[in-house]
Amino acid sequence: MQAEDMESSMESPNLEFEYGDTDSLAAELSELYSYTEEPEFALNRDYFEEDFRSHARGRRWTELTLEEQRSYVMRLLDALEVTDRDKRLKVARAILYLAQGVFDECDTEVDVLHWSRHNVFLLYDMGIFTALLELLSMEIDNNQACSSAVRKPAISLADSTELRVLLSIMYLMVETIRGQTEDDRPEWRTAREAFKNELGSPLYNGEPFALLLFTMVTKFCSMNAPHFPMKKVLLLLWKTILFTLGGFEELQEMKVRGREGLRLPPLTEDSIKVVRAMRAASPPASAMELIEQQQQQKRGRRSRRSAFVDSLEGDSPFTKKQPLVKQDSLDTYNERDPFKNDEEEDPEDADSGIEGEVDPLDRDVIIQPPPPPPPLRPPTERVNFPKGLPWAPKVREKDIEHFLETSRNKFIGFTLGNDTDTLVGLPRPIHESVKTLKQHKYVSIAEVQIKKEDELQQCPMSLGEEEVAETPTEMLYLGMLPNLSQYVIALLKLLLAAAPTSKAKTDSINILADVLPEEMPITVLQSMKLGIDVNRHKEILVKAISALLLLLLKHFKLNHIYQFEIVSQHLVFANCIPLILKFFNQNIMSYISAKNSICVLDFAHCVVHEMPELTAESLEAGDSNQFCWRNLFSCINLLRILNKLTKWKHSRTMMLVVFKSAPILKRALKVKQAMMQLYVLKLLKIQTKYLGRQWRKSNMKTMSAIYQKVRHRLNDDWAYGNDIDARPWDFQAEECALRESIEKFNSRRYDKNRNGDFAPVDNCLQSVLGQRVELPEDFHYSYEMWLEREVFSQPIQWEGLLQQP
């Protein structure tokens, strides 16, 4: 018993983590500010009160009527238009104090959030966002500030003051209006829809608001504006796209509607609910644990045999203590195979020689099924599936065609192309197999889009123009397309600079411009505080970039598969796959349980409560949570991105093998969180057949976990590797073929000069001769010489025109 307790205590605990679009509102607002910005809260309050005192005459903001508040905001809006830069900054700080919830008049953090929400909707109603946007554009184009920042040897918080104030107000407005609450007023709901449409439409210089922020990112990464506060820019960019395009639940609804529009069968399950209902599994054992387990099993066998001998001598074996063998949810021998009959037993199970070597005498002890786990969710959220399988199996049309082609070659000796209905000459079991495969056939929206695109390419005249709905996703893609590769490379540069595994290089991007104070720390306590702040700053950057990239990939894939493919290809060519693997090549448990936060300095705690005296002990303590929400969120996002880049792409799967990702991913299984384990196991599944028999033999627990948690493709022999010889790794050919399809799609849909070969020709002599032709100014001086030289002096062979060539 003691040995089992010790082993279970060494394991990582189950993490009660619920994956969603974002963390709580309070956490998201606190991450906007660095700890070095803390003194600025009082500065915002002072500027507001200095101006407000002359207007309200001793009254407080919370005591004013709505009309009085509106008239004061209008006064601030007029004051924003002054030319004096310092006066403008003071007014912007006063507006920021309002957006922060007039915290000096509040007693609790809930009050701060309540007044922040009230004030933000008021500010939006009065047109503050549009005024801020003009000021932001001026700051972006401020060449003097950019050139002075480039020349500075060290950039600090002071270089980005105006930008930080403007971006903070805009972020508070986007994040607060984006969230829905039960007590929202009807006018607030109307304002939310209006703001959402406004941000997603090309109202700002003919492009969506997100494009302006993307421009800031590329300008920063090209070293032309090193003073831009990148954390605030990326957070605002992520939340803008989340607001305008929609989060994961909206994506699921859009997918359902998209399938209905294409007359495809409805989805077999809600993937969000299935993942939430999953349980985490115990991680694969390390080498030391395996040795201990084998020794324990040997001791267990001896005691069992002695009990058996004692029973023969007359003593009851039940009077002695039975050996306890540790249950493990990843063990292959813990559960019966759901596809076998109860009478059948695999004779090889008794002597497998792999990880869980079990003596026949011990079988009745070890094969006891583990007790059912306590339900983590109400039973209403669970989806009914075949016992033991969380996902309904899927089969693609290609898989059925491939199965029939192989069967016809084997039994008949010829094939019928893509015919999946004719089964003449095939034996009865093949008929049953095809019937089962068709029952689980799944046609994705992407397959329909690819088929339609092929038809449009082949028949551009007869099928006519394609009607493209002007959705926010479509408008964003149209705006991003000319500079897409620059945006992708800039985001990956920032992700590399923020990754904890990256070494500090002299030529790398300085992402700490908006966290370093003007005066560097002089005491140990200040250094510790700044160190925590820098680490927290990097974690927030990783969180924002990973969530942003995942949202873009998911929305573009739903909008059109080739929009997704071009972003994916830019990511792959910019070395995104090795970058994510490099990120995971660290002690992932330490990263997820990192305590890089100082709770007493988080907004809104720090502005409501009295600030206690900070000590080294209180800084090291951190919060009481067993994991850091943002870091676990980032890890899951990066794994999902890696899955999207490699799914159904043989050449990219081989990149995972070449970069030796299996041991890195296997270490990530130590995190006991079901969703993270699922995406790690998916990545291991697609490359298992290329890792060799010995790897599969020595990683049977991982193989068993893949069977338990990952969706089954009925005729996918991922665990055996039978088709390796038939699949040469030609990275260049696959990517070039894909690139050609993408370019044809972009040319057909977005090229202004498209279909030039098929443009109608005017054959009417009168209209052709009647057209005005623009001639150069000197034409009438030299046209007679040109006629003489090119026409009259050239003999014309009329007989030659009649002869056959």
Side-chain angles (χ1 to χ4, degrees):
M1 286 288 286
Q2 285 178 349
E4 186 175 5
D5 288 343
M6 282 177 62
E7 281 192 36
S8 61
S9 66
M10 287 169 65
E11 281 186 0
S12 57
N14 283 316
L15 304 182
E16 294 298 322
F17 170 83
E18 186 164 318
Y19 184 80
D21 293 315
T22 60
D23 203 347
S24 64
L25 177 64
E28 294 294 337
L29 294 185
S30 72
E31 288 179 355
L32 176 64
Y33 311 104
S34 304
Y35 294 143
T36 43
E37 289 180 88
E38 184 208 344
E40 296 188 14
F41 293 135
L43 202 60
N44 300 338
R45 179 196 61 208
D46 294 343
Y47 284 135
F48 171 81
E49 289 183 348
E50 179 188 326
D51 185 69
F52 186 67
R53 205 176 295 122
S54 62
H55 175 79
R57 294 176 187 155
R59 296 169 70 193
R60 307 170 79 189
W61 171 264
T62 51
E63 296 168 357
L64 299 182
T65 64
L66 185 60
E67 282 307 312
E68 289 172 326
Q69 289 175 346
R70 290 172 71 91
S71 66
Y72 180 69
V73 171
M74 183 60 74
R75 176 180 162 173
L76 289 177
L77 190 57
D78 291 339
L80 268 183
E81 297 181 3
V82 297
T83 52
D84 190 330
R85 190 182 176 86
D86 292 333
K87 286 182 182 176
R88 232 178 21 232
L89 179 61
K90 286 182 180 180
V91 176
R93 282 197 180 281
I95 294 171
L96 177 55
Y97 177 69
L98 282 175
Q100 287 170 340
V102 288
F103 48 78
D104 206 43
E105 302 177 26
C106 300
D107 298 322
T108 64
E109 294 171 45
V110 176
D111 288 346
V112 174
L113 293 177
H114 166 76
W115 280 105
S116 171
R117 189 170 187 78
H118 170 85
N119 294 344
V120 158
F121 276 101
L122 177 63
L123 292 171
Y124 172 69
D125 191 37
M126 300 302 293
I128 287 284
F129 192 86
T130 309
L132 294 173
L133 190 63
E134 291 176 9
L135 292 176
L136 181 65
S137 301
M138 282 170 53
E139 288 297 330
I140 293 170
D141 298 332
N142 188 345
N143 294 324
Q144 186 180 352
C146 292
S147 57
S148 65
V150 168
R151 289 195 300 270
K152 273 193 175 181
I155 299 168
S156 69
L157 214 57
D159 294 300
S160 59
T161 306
E162 289 86 355
L163 280 167
R164 281 187 297 105
V165 171
L166 295 173
L167 290 166
S168 295
I169 304 170
M170 294 171 114
Y171 178 84
L172 288 170
M173 292 182 75
V174 170
E175 178 63 2
T176 306
I177 294 175
R178 185 186 68 81
Q180 300 182 30
T181 58
E182 293 176 0
D183 58 344
D184 273 358
R185 302 171 198 166
E187 61 267 25
W188 286 4
R189 291 185 186 135
T190 309
R192 177 180 297 111
E193 285 304 310
F195 192 33
K196 180 179 178 179
N197 295 332
E198 192 180 318
L199 287 174
S201 303
L203 298 179
Y204 308 109
N205 298 326
E207 55 189 24
F209 174 57
L211 264 293
L212 181 70
L213 300 173
F214 268 119
T215 307
M216 290 185 76
V217 174
T218 49
K219 201 169 180 182
F220 174 84
C221 288
S222 61
M223 306 290 187
N224 292 326
H227 65 298
F228 282 0
M230 259 310 104
K231 184 183 81 172
K232 286 181 169 54
V233 173
L234 288 167
L235 283 173
L236 180 54
L237 177 55
W238 164 37
K239 293 302 171 62
T240 302
I241 285 177
L242 179 61
F243 186 22
T244 53
L245 305 190
F248 300 131
E249 291 188 1
E250 288 97 326
L251 271 161
Q252 187 75 7
E253 292 168 10
M254 288 159 64
K255 193 173 183 180
V256 170
R257 290 199 302 271
R259 292 185 68 80
E260 285 175 3
L262 295 170
R263 296 178 184 174
L264 293 172
L267 292 167
T268 50
E269 75 263 306
D270 185 339
S271 55
I272 296 173
K273 289 183 179 178
V274 175
V275 173
R276 282 179 180 169
M278 278 186 170
R279 278 193 314 128
S282 299
S286 63
M288 284 297 294
E289 289 170 347
L290 285 174
I291 294 166
E292 288 175 14
Q293 193 178 358
Q294 287 172 0
Q295 289 173 348
Q296 195 176 5
Q297 285 172 2
K298 286 175 184 175
R299 288 196 296 272
R301 289 194 203 106
R302 283 198 294 273
S303 58
R304 281 286 305 201
R305 287 184 184 118
S306 62
F308 183 63
V309 171
D310 289 343
S311 68
L312 292 176
E313 292 174 357
D315 295 337
S316 171
F318 300 105
T319 59
K320 296 181 181 267
K321 187 183 280 188
Q322 295 294 320
L324 289 166
V325 180
K326 183 185 171 191
Q327 299 280 336
D328 193 322
S329 58
L330 293 197
D331 287 349
T332 45
Y333 47 79
N334 267 358
E335 298 176 359
R336 289 176 180 271
D337 190 300
F339 298 103
K340 283 186 184 175
N341 296 327
D342 290 340
E343 301 82 27
E344 292 178 4
E345 281 295 331
D346 190 349
E348 292 182 5
D349 276 357
D351 188 28
S352 63
I354 300 169
E355 281 191 344
E357 192 168 285
V358 187
D359 192 284
L361 286 170
D362 292 341
R363 266 182 176 272
D364 57 342
V365 177
I366 294 177
I367 303 186
Q368 296 297 329
L376 297 177
R377 299 258 155 212
T380 52
E381 285 202 19
R382 288 192 175 274
V383 189
N384 293 321
F385 293 116
K387 189 180 177 184
L389 292 176
W391 303 97
K394 280 184 182 177
V395 180
R396 294 186 301 167
E397 182 75 26
K398 285 181 184 176
D399 299 329
I400 302 175
E401 290 172 7
H402 178 68
F403 174 76
L404 276 172
E405 186 180 357
T406 309
S407 303
R408 286 173 184 141
N409 270 328
K410 181 177 179 182
F411 294 106
I412 307 173
F414 64 88
T415 60
L416 297 174
N418 297 334
D419 185 348
T420 57
D421 298 320
T422 308
L423 302 176
V424 177
L426 295 173
R428 189 70 195 164
I430 300 296
H431 288 233
E432 294 295 326
S433 299
V434 172
K435 182 182 175 184
T436 307
L437 290 173
K438 284 186 175 180
Q439 277 177 355
H440 294 98
K441 188 172 92 166
Y442 175 78
V443 180
S444 66
I445 294 175
E447 289 175 84
V448 177
Q449 289 171 341
I450 290 171
K451 189 175 180 182
K452 186 180 177 184
E453 182 62 27
D454 289 343
E455 290 171 358
L456 285 166
Q457 293 288 353
Q458 288 172 1
C459 314
M461 296 292 287
S462 57
L463 292 177
E465 285 288 323
E466 180 192 15
E467 288 186 15
V468 182
E470 290 210 349
T471 59
T473 312
E474 183 67 29
M475 286 184 276
L476 180 66
Y477 178 78
L478 192 57
M480 289 179 68
L481 187 58
N483 303 309
L484 188 57
S485 62
Q486 292 176 34
Y487 299 148
V488 168
I489 289 168
L491 288 174
L492 290 183
K493 276 184 178 180
L494 290 166
L495 184 61
L496 176 63
T501 49
S502 296
K503 302 287 186 292
K505 293 180 182 176
T506 52
D507 59 340
S508 63
I509 303 170
N510 177 21
I511 55 170
L512 306 177
D514 52 335
V515 73
L516 295 176
E518 281 188 274
E519 297 176 3
M520 293 306 285
I522 51 174
T523 66
V524 174
L525 194 66
Q526 288 174 338
S527 298
M528 285 179 67
K529 180 183 163 188
L530 184 59
I532 291 171
D533 205 3
V534 166
N535 289 336
R536 174 177 175 268
H537 182 81
K538 289 182 175 181
E539 289 171 4
I540 295 167
L541 278 173
V542 173
K543 172 186 172 182
I545 295 167
S546 63
L548 172 62
L549 285 173
L550 180 62
L551 270 179
L552 286 174
L553 287 172
K554 286 186 78 67
H555 277 286
F556 285 152
K557 187 172 185 181
L558 195 55
N559 198 50
H560 200 287
I561 184 64
Y562 283 133
Q563 294 177 352
F564 161 81
E565 292 291 5
I566 190 170
V567 178
S568 300
Q569 200 163 63
H570 281 307
L571 283 167
V572 172
F573 290 164
N575 283 335
C576 183
I577 292 176
L579 171 55
I580 295 176
L581 293 175
K582 181 180 180 180
F583 179 89
F584 280 97
N585 194 18
Q586 59 171 314
N587 186 340
I588 209 70
M589 280 304 299
S590 298
Y591 184 71
I592 280 168
S593 57
K595 296 284 190 287
N596 290 314
S597 58
I598 307 167
C599 299
V600 293
L601 293 180
D602 282 340
F603 183 85
H605 186 282
C606 66
V607 293
V608 174
H609 300 94
E610 283 293 320
M611 187 64 63
E613 188 178 350
L614 290 176
T615 62
E617 290 75 23
S618 65
L619 289 180
E620 286 178 344
D623 55 25
S624 57
N625 294 331
Q626 60 178 340
F627 62 91
C628 175
W629 196 96
R630 67 171 163 264
N631 289 353
L632 189 47
F633 176 72
S634 301
C635 289
I636 292 173
N637 287 340
L638 290 170
L639 287 168
R640 294 183 77 183
I641 292 167
L642 203 51
N643 268 290
K644 291 202 167 299
L645 295 182
T646 52
K647 189 176 182 180
W648 305 122
K649 302 286 191 302
H650 176 249
S651 59
R652 296 178 194 172
T653 303
M654 291 304 295
M655 286 176 74
L656 291 177
V657 179
V658 168
F659 290 125
K660 295 183 170 59
S661 65
I664 296 170
L665 293 169
K666 199 181 164 194
R667 280 200 300 275
L669 285 174
K670 290 186 182 297
V671 180
K672 288 187 74 174
Q673 205 282 321
M675 193 170 192
M676 182 162 170
Q677 286 184 342
L678 172 69
Y679 289 110
V680 170
L681 292 169
K682 278 185 170 188
L683 289 166
L684 285 169
K685 177 186 174 180
I686 59 173
Q687 55 176 318
T688 298
K689 63 172 74 173
Y690 307 110
L691 296 174
R693 187 179 175 188
Q694 188 56 45
W695 188 92
R696 297 195 289 271
K697 189 175 175 184
S698 55
N699 288 278
M700 286 307 290
K701 285 186 182 180
T702 308
M703 301 285 283
S704 175
I706 293 171
Y707 271 113
Q708 284 179 11
K709 293 188 178 297
V710 182
R711 188 191 302 278
H712 287 262
R713 299 275 171 177
L714 292 184
N715 50 354
D716 180 16
D717 60 344
W718 60 272
Y720 306 102
N722 292 331
D723 66 340
I724 292 176
D725 295 334
R727 299 289 306 276
W729 181 31
D730 192 347
F731 176 85
Q732 205 167 6
E734 283 186 41
E735 295 295 341
C736 284
L738 179 61
R739 190 54 179 258
E740 188 181 355
S741 301
I742 294 166
E743 284 176 353
K744 283 181 181 176
F745 163 76
N746 283 331
S747 174
R748 182 190 63 77
R749 195 188 264 201
Y750 303 111
D751 189 2
K752 299 296 179 191
N753 302 317
R754 63 182 180 274
N755 294 339
D757 296 340
F758 303 108
V761 178
D762 190 354
N763 292 320
C764 177
L765 184 64
Q766 287 182 332
S767 64
V768 170
L769 292 176
Q771 288 177 1
R772 282 189 66 84
V773 180
E774 292 293 329
L775 299 171
E777 291 180 5
D778 59 344
F779 178 76
H780 64 280
Y781 293 120
S782 56
Y783 79 98
E784 291 180 348
M785 291 171 57
W786 180 85
L787 278 172
E788 185 64 38
R789 185 179 70 250
E790 299 293 334
V791 181
F792 301 143
S793 63
Q794 296 291 334
I796 299 172
Q797 303 291 334
W798 299 103
E799 296 84 359
L801 294 172
L802 301 174
Q803 293 173 0
Q804 291 291 332

